[in-house]
Amino acid sequence: MAFDRNRRLLICALAYAAATLGWSRWCLAEELAAYRAERPAVGTIRVWASPADGWLVEHLEAGFRKAQPGVTFADTFHGPESTFAAVYTGMADVAFLAREMRVPMESMAFEWVHHYKAFEVEIANAGLGTERPGVNLAVFVHRSNPLTRLTLKQLDGILGAEHLSGGTNIRRWGELFDGDGWTDRPIHVYGPALDSVAALFIRRAVLRDSRKWNPHYREVVTGWSAVLASLARDPAGIAYAPVLPGQEGTKSLALAADDGGPSYALTAQTVAARSYPLTRVITIALDREPGKPIDPPTREFVRYVLSREGQAAVGSDGAYIPLSAHSAQRQLQRLD
């Protein structure tokens, strides 16, 4: 047994050193505890999810039924915008959001009905691909730009106008570094529509929920490739977007959460470790009244999703990055 564990750890170390995404996902799942039922579960769990998450949801359900054969599932695949509505209208026990909740539109709808907040559980880290709405975002500049890193306060200075984190407007590249031809060059900001889920995430994570964006923000509404293509044509530009193949005219920046702290590039490893400052998470939403337990079958299913077997399913789906053992344990504690 000791030999097998040491071999797994060696493989994991080599995988992390090589930054091989598939192996890293396997290693993350290996460090989690296996599912152990706390009680027999009986009944039907109503699940709503996006059709894009259909394979993952059905794979999780199949694994759970092997351990808890008394449970059946009633699945509805709509959305992704309609999945959470099924929870606050009483049509679903579990909603796979696959993105952040829209605040205040979705959160207030739930609270108007129930007079308390929805209960969300993190079940995965967002991935690096673009096939799902929940994708991690990097900050890019033109490849000719000498900048290599930014702090979140500096990013707020570029993207925002109110600066609730205590910074000031940053509108010229010379305010960030010295360089011939850069001192007075204005910063051109590119990004998706300001009402998009990605922009709402940036507003919360960088602008501290301020609604006052840089008034010269240039919305590109035709997709992520178009955002980066616009940046590749503009040496004075900056943008946030997922990492896409074939964008040779741009480069991503390392980000630091604090002014004096270390900076991290966007990788599967920094996302799993939650060291990348803009890490996004994938959640499921439940109707759990404060002070009351979660319905037992639903609770057991969520425990399975957070187990080694559940996170292995997350990794094999390929769109998301499994939780670390530490992150999964924190979510399990919230179920009590």
Side-chain angles (χ1 to χ4, degrees):
M1 294 295 290
F3 172 77
D4 288 342
R5 175 170 175 77
N6 289 338
R7 183 174 61 182
R8 288 199 302 270
L9 292 177
L10 175 60
I11 293 173
C12 288
L14 292 173
Y16 274 84
T20 306
L21 182 56
W23 280 102
S24 298
R25 285 176 171 150
W26 179 84
C27 294
L28 289 169
E30 279 290 297
E31 294 302 305
L32 298 168
Y35 174 71
R36 295 290 183 267
E38 289 188 348
R39 67 184 73 182
V42 178
T44 298
I45 301 174
R46 300 168 300 166
V47 176
W48 279 52
S50 167
D53 288 320
W55 184 91
L56 173 59
V57 170
E58 291 174 352
H59 195 38
L60 289 167
E61 292 172 352
F64 181 66
R65 284 197 303 268
K66 291 180 181 178
Q68 295 278 15
V71 171
T72 59
F73 288 90
D75 295 332
T76 303
F77 295 109
H78 282 309
E81 298 301 327
S82 63
T83 56
F84 180 58
V87 172
Y88 63 75
T89 57
M91 299 295 293
D93 302 302
V94 177
F96 280 73
L97 294 185
R99 56 167 174 78
E100 294 79 20
M101 187 181 297
R102 290 186 182 273
V103 178
M105 182 177 69
E106 290 180 319
S107 59
M108 286 303 299
F110 184 93
E111 292 173 37
W112 286 335
V113 173
H114 295 285
H115 307 292
Y116 51 84
K117 295 181 181 297
F119 186 72
E120 289 186 89
V121 181
E122 297 174 8
I123 63 165
N125 300 293
L128 303 182
T130 57
E131 64 270 24
R132 311 282 171 86
V135 58
N136 280 297
L137 304 170
V139 176
F140 293 86
V141 294
H142 192 271
R143 66 179 177 183
S144 65
N145 192 316
L147 193 67
T148 59
R149 68 184 297 272
L150 280 175
T151 68
L152 291 191
K153 182 182 287 188
Q154 289 172 326
L155 189 58
D156 172 68
I158 295 169
L159 299 180
E162 189 173 14
H163 315 305
L164 298 179
S165 59
T168 59
N169 280 350
I170 298 176
R171 299 293 184 255
R172 296 186 182 277
W173 287 110
E175 297 172 65
L176 293 170
F177 59 86
D178 296 323
D180 292 340
W182 292 94
T183 301
D184 296 321
R185 184 175 291 188
I187 299 174
H188 299 156
V189 178
Y190 297 92
L194 290 178
D195 63 351
S196 66
V197 172
L200 293 176
F201 168 74
I202 292 294
R203 192 186 81 193
R204 185 182 69 187
V206 179
L207 275 59
R208 304 288 181 90
D209 276 328
S210 171
R211 297 175 181 272
K212 297 181 179 180
W213 290 82
N214 184 326
H216 302 294
Y217 181 106
R218 304 180 183 191
E219 294 181 274
V220 182
V221 298
T222 50
W224 290 121
S225 293
V227 171
L228 292 178
S230 298
L231 175 61
R233 294 190 294 268
D234 184 358
I238 189 170
Y240 60 91
V243 177
L244 300 179
Q247 299 297 327
E248 292 81 4
T250 67
K251 67 176 185 180
S252 61
L253 303 178
L255 299 179
D258 304 306
D259 290 348
S263 54
Y264 298 93
L266 171 58
T267 68
Q269 290 73 40
T270 58
V271 166
R274 302 285 174 88
S275 55
Y276 181 66
L278 295 183
T279 295
R280 299 174 72 184
V281 296
I282 304 302
T283 68
I284 57 176
L286 316 171
D287 176 5
R288 181 189 189 180
E289 187 173 346
K292 293 190 176 181
I294 301 172
D295 177 65
T298 301
R299 183 178 183 276
E300 284 296 311
F301 178 56
V302 177
R303 289 185 64 249
Y304 176 83
V305 174
L306 295 171
S307 72
R308 180 189 302 170
E309 296 87 347
Q311 292 300 297
V314 169
S316 63
D317 178 62
Y320 308 130
I321 298 169
L323 298 176
S324 68
H326 175 70
S327 295
Q329 185 60 37
R330 284 196 310 171
Q331 297 306 305
L332 284 168
Q333 292 170 351
R334 297 181 58 242
L335 304 181
D336 296 330

